[in-house]
Amino acid sequence: MGISNPEIKKLYGLAAGRCSICKLNVFDNEVHIGEMAHIIAKSSGGARGNEEIVRNRNSYENLILLCANHHTEVDQNPSYYTVERLHKIKSEHESTVASHFESPNERVGDISFLKLFMRFVPFTQLRYFTEHLPVSVNLKLCTVGDMFEAGLVDNPHLYPLNDTNLQAHFHLFIEGYYELWNIISGFTNVDGRQQANFSQADDRGYLHMERRYLPYEKVKKLNESLDIKKSNFISAYSALIDFIRRNYKEVDLGSYEPYKI
């Protein structure tokens, strides 16, 4: 039994005839380049084919509209494109499509927030700033919190974000940032005195852990905490980048403009 016409119409309609990953129009110069990919393969030997499924494998719920290139990528890399990830990509894409028509003004507000944030935060460099943790960190990482808090004061109407998926990603990102930065900017109790965890910035703009003034056990504990918080932050940061790239192509992630006096 093949895919029924009602299922095909629903899939193409809710996806607006575009690849759920790259947003490419699946009709190129009157040539149909779209493919209805199975999230769980039709046969057990296919990609993700051994996963359990309640509905018919040819049902809308088990299909995702993709371009030919991404269909190949999804099926050749099932360890990355898991059932859960594909359902999430599909849901986010369909929500983005709906937002253009159901709440265009809300989408405009979200885009304004993102553009302002990217303009004043060196967003594409954040992984680089944290690369040498737990030993050192670039002071520019703090622009994330500074600009976020300034935005809440200057443009309180733009946050929380209207797109629930975008808000979830951004919340995890900003929460991960604060958990990491609170350790970097925090203090450790050493024999009744409060010792800063990191030094003041050097002439290159780097803060270094105050290993000279912290006992070995304290340094070890800080290292462990920083490794965990850094991993969580980078994971949330990467997920936010992927989401924005897929769903908010109007936003230039590299639009940062250094403040000039």
Side-chain angles (χ1 to χ4, degrees):
M1 179 179 178
I3 304 171
S4 67
N5 281 334
E7 304 285 0
I8 294 172
K9 290 178 180 178
K10 184 175 182 180
L11 182 67
Y12 273 78
L14 294 180
R18 292 184 175 273
C19 173
S20 299
I21 294 177
C22 68
K23 317 305 178 189
L24 181 71
N25 192 328
V26 298
F27 295 93
D28 184 22
N29 294 324
E30 299 185 2
V31 177
H32 179 216
I33 60 172
E35 298 184 0
M36 296 177 287
H38 287 82
I39 294 175
I40 297 176
K42 289 184 291 184
S43 65
S44 59
R48 299 164 296 276
N50 290 323
E51 299 283 347
E52 292 184 8
I53 183 170
V54 177
R55 299 292 299 274
N56 185 312
R57 294 194 181 221
N58 284 329
S59 67
Y60 158 79
E61 286 77 13
N62 190 46
L63 297 170
I64 180 171
L65 185 62
L66 300 172
C67 64
N69 288 340
H70 275 109
H71 189 179
T72 299
E73 180 180 328
V74 160
D75 283 353
Q76 289 186 351
N77 193 4
S79 60
Y80 177 78
Y81 289 105
T82 61
V83 171
E84 180 182 15
R85 186 182 296 274
L86 288 174
H87 276 301
K88 186 176 183 181
I89 289 173
K90 177 182 178 182
S91 174
E92 289 177 348
H93 173 64
E94 292 181 352
S95 295
T96 298
V97 169
S99 71
H100 283 277
F101 304 100
E102 296 174 0
S103 52
N105 291 333
E106 292 182 353
R107 181 176 175 83
V108 169
D110 289 348
I111 291 172
S112 295
F113 173 87
L114 290 174
K115 285 185 174 181
L116 282 170
F117 190 77
M118 300 307 163
R119 178 183 175 187
F120 295 108
V121 174
F123 190 72
T124 58
Q125 301 176 58
L126 299 185
R127 186 187 294 271
Y128 170 72
F129 292 159
T130 62
E131 181 180 7
H132 299 297
L133 279 172
V135 176
S136 62
V137 62
N138 194 297
L139 180 60
K140 289 182 181 178
L141 180 65
C142 74
T143 59
V144 172
D146 291 345
M147 292 302 103
F148 175 65
E149 290 163 20
L152 295 182
V153 174
D154 296 340
N155 297 283
H157 61 294
L158 296 180
Y159 196 87
L161 299 159
N162 298 295
D163 181 340
T164 55
N165 290 313
L166 175 61
Q167 172 61 25
H169 280 293
F170 195 88
H171 175 73
L172 288 176
F173 162 74
I174 202 70
E175 183 179 63
Y177 160 78
Y178 279 119
E179 288 182 356
L180 177 61
W181 187 253
N182 285 343
I183 297 177
I184 295 168
S185 61
F187 295 81
T188 295
N189 187 291
V190 179
D191 297 329
R193 64 179 176 83
Q194 294 297 304
Q195 171 61 51
N197 294 332
F198 280 74
S199 65
Q200 303 236 349
D202 61 21
D203 56 2
R204 295 174 55 246
Y206 277 88
L207 313 175
H208 299 267
M209 186 185 289
E210 291 282 25
R211 295 170 180 264
R212 296 174 299 171
Y213 306 113
L214 293 169
Y216 171 78
E217 287 301 322
K218 301 286 186 180
V219 170
K220 182 180 177 182
K221 187 174 181 180
L222 275 176
N223 285 345
E224 292 172 351
S225 296
L226 285 166
D227 282 340
I228 293 171
K229 300 305 181 184
K230 173 187 172 181
S231 177
N232 292 342
F233 171 65
I234 293 301
S235 177
Y237 168 63
S238 299
L240 177 59
I241 287 178
D242 288 344
F243 180 83
I244 294 174
R245 281 176 174 166
R246 288 198 308 268
N247 300 290
Y248 286 85
K249 294 185 179 294
E250 309 95 322
V251 178
D252 180 3
L253 296 176
S255 59
Y256 170 62
E257 298 177 5
Y259 181 74
K260 296 180 181 179
I261 299 178

